[in-house]
Amino acid sequence: MKLTANFSLEEMTKSSTALRLGIDNTPNDAQLSNLVALCESVLQPLRDHFDLPVTITSGFRCPELNTRIGGSPVSDHCRGCAADIEIAGVDNLVLAEFLTGMTFRQLILEYYSVGIQDSGWIHISYDIEDNKKQVLTATKVGGKTSYLAGLIA
């Protein structure tokens, strides 16, 4: 099922962990509606701007899958509002900076290292009712994830 011109339900729900563990990662109607909004409002415009494929490394996660991978219990992924993304050949800091000009709920530049091509990834979420434009950078400090306000490189 196509959600937009360049994004499918299959790629937004694909999970090797779900397949391996036999978890049904099918969104309900509300979650599907959120996935469509995310694709229409953020992912498709991003694809159109860079004219390059956007790789979804993690999209929708049903609560069971989210628990099994150690995701946050309040993750926007579980509502169909978030995706972790990359674009091959585009530095993730450049991608994050571009995204700050769009409407979104939360943007996290995750585990990015300056000068290392393709390091880290971008978490982006969109919620039609709550786009607070929170921008964070996730890093490891003492073996634990630390979130800093803004884009810190």
Side-chain angles (χ1 to χ4, degrees):
M1 170 184 189
K2 292 293 257 181
L3 303 178
T4 61
N6 296 103
F7 294 93
S8 69
L9 180 59
E10 179 182 14
E11 73 184 304
M12 295 301 293
T13 59
K14 180 181 177 182
S15 167
S16 58
T17 302
L19 288 172
R20 187 176 71 252
L21 298 176
I23 298 170
D24 180 5
N25 195 40
T26 304
N28 63 30
D29 289 345
Q31 294 158 336
L32 179 59
S33 179
N34 288 338
L35 284 168
V36 170
L38 172 66
C39 290
E40 287 178 345
S41 301
V42 178
L43 301 180
Q44 189 64 50
L46 185 65
R47 167 69 167 82
D48 294 343
H49 174 79
F50 284 96
D51 197 26
L52 292 167
V54 176
T55 301
I56 308 299
T57 58
S58 182
F60 173 72
R61 300 182 202 144
C62 68
E64 180 182 359
L65 174 59
N66 192 62
T67 298
R68 296 297 287 267
I69 66 163
S72 166
V74 295
S75 173
D76 283 340
H77 287 274
C78 296
R79 298 186 309 117
C81 293
D84 295 340
I85 63 170
E86 298 178 280
I87 297 178
V90 178
D91 187 274
N92 283 321
L93 180 58
V94 171
L95 182 56
E97 289 170 340
F98 176 79
L99 284 165
T100 62
M102 299 178 75
T103 300
F104 58 89
R105 175 177 163 72
Q106 186 180 58
L107 180 147
I108 307 173
L109 177 60
E110 302 209 40
Y111 311 110
Y112 175 79
S113 297
V114 176
I116 300 177
Q117 182 68 25
D118 297 328
S119 67
W121 64 89
I122 303 292
H123 166 93
I124 188 75
S125 65
Y126 179 88
D127 181 336
I128 196 162
E129 295 179 3
D130 181 23
N131 285 305
K132 59 187 175 183
K133 292 192 81 162
Q134 180 184 42
V135 178
L136 302 169
T137 299
T139 61
K140 286 283 184 187
V141 177
K144 292 188 173 187
T145 300
S146 176
Y147 293 93
L148 307 170
L151 293 177
I152 312 296

